[in-house]
Amino acid sequence: MQDTTLLQLITDDIAPAQHLLELLQAESIALHGRDMLEMERILAQKQALVIVLDQHGRRRSQLLASLGLPTNRNGLEEVARHSSVGAELLKAGDELTALMNDCKAANEENGTLIQLQQIKTNNQLSILNGGDTPTLYDSRGSTSGKARPRPLSQV
């Protein structure tokens, strides 16, 4: 009985994990295009999926722990060894793990892209605000001074 419940919990998470991966890929496109409206829509959907996946993951872990098994691949293998649906259980577990690893990689790529965009934005703001940029020239042809804030109209 526990094995079929565990299998159902895993298979129920495959579709949301696939949808999360698709959202992360769409997020990458929105980040490249700096489409903030699309980003807001994606973020709302991502948050809902992450909550569902987290809750289901906790239920799977609790189920394995209640059987006195580790809450990882080893515990899943132990359940599969004594189950008539063992092969399906391991296959579904591997599929879910692969999807979650793909989601993690896509999320890390998006995080890196966000950090790069923040650096670029900070550099642009520094230039606009007259930060430490001795190679820039003001409207009179002289180099801009350090730490001398200028109105944006004089940039």
Side-chain angles (χ1 to χ4, degrees):
M1 178 65 175
Q2 301 292 348
D3 56 347
T4 56
T5 302
L6 192 56
L7 178 60
Q8 188 62 48
L9 288 171
I10 292 171
T11 55
D12 286 350
D13 276 350
I14 290 175
Q18 181 64 42
H19 189 205
L20 179 61
L21 181 59
E22 292 166 2
L23 284 173
L24 288 164
Q25 292 164 344
E27 181 181 48
S28 177
I29 293 167
L31 283 168
H32 279 94
R34 295 185 181 221
D35 185 348
M36 291 304 119
L37 292 176
E38 182 68 6
M39 286 296 300
E40 288 178 23
R41 184 191 67 75
I42 290 170
L43 181 60
Q45 290 182 24
K46 260 181 34 178
Q47 286 175 331
L49 284 173
V50 168
I51 289 169
V52 167
L53 289 168
D54 182 56
Q55 289 172 345
H56 291 180
R58 288 177 198 258
R59 287 184 25 209
R60 286 191 307 273
S61 293
Q62 288 171 349
L63 182 59
L64 286 171
S66 72
L67 296 171
L69 298 172
T71 58
N72 57 20
R73 170 80 177 171
N74 294 336
L76 190 62
E77 288 174 354
E78 185 62 32
V79 171
R81 268 191 225 113
H82 305 352
S83 170
S84 61
V85 294
E88 294 173 61
L89 191 60
L90 290 175
K91 182 181 179 213
D94 290 343
E95 184 178 353
L96 183 58
T97 298
L99 278 170
M100 296 309 290
N101 287 338
D102 290 346
C103 286
K104 181 180 177 186
N107 193 52
E108 287 172 356
E109 288 175 20
N110 289 348
T112 299
L113 184 57
I114 289 169
Q115 288 175 341
L116 289 173
Q117 287 180 353
Q118 286 175 335
I119 290 169
K120 287 179 185 178
T121 300
N122 286 338
N123 285 341
Q124 291 167 348
L125 287 173
S126 175
I127 290 169
L128 288 174
N129 290 323
D132 189 21
T133 54
T135 58
L136 293 181
Y137 296 93
D138 62 16
S139 61
R140 293 177 302 279
S142 59
T143 58
S144 58
K146 293 183 181 180
R148 188 181 79 191
R150 296 180 291 168
L152 294 180
S153 62
Q154 293 181 3
V155 174

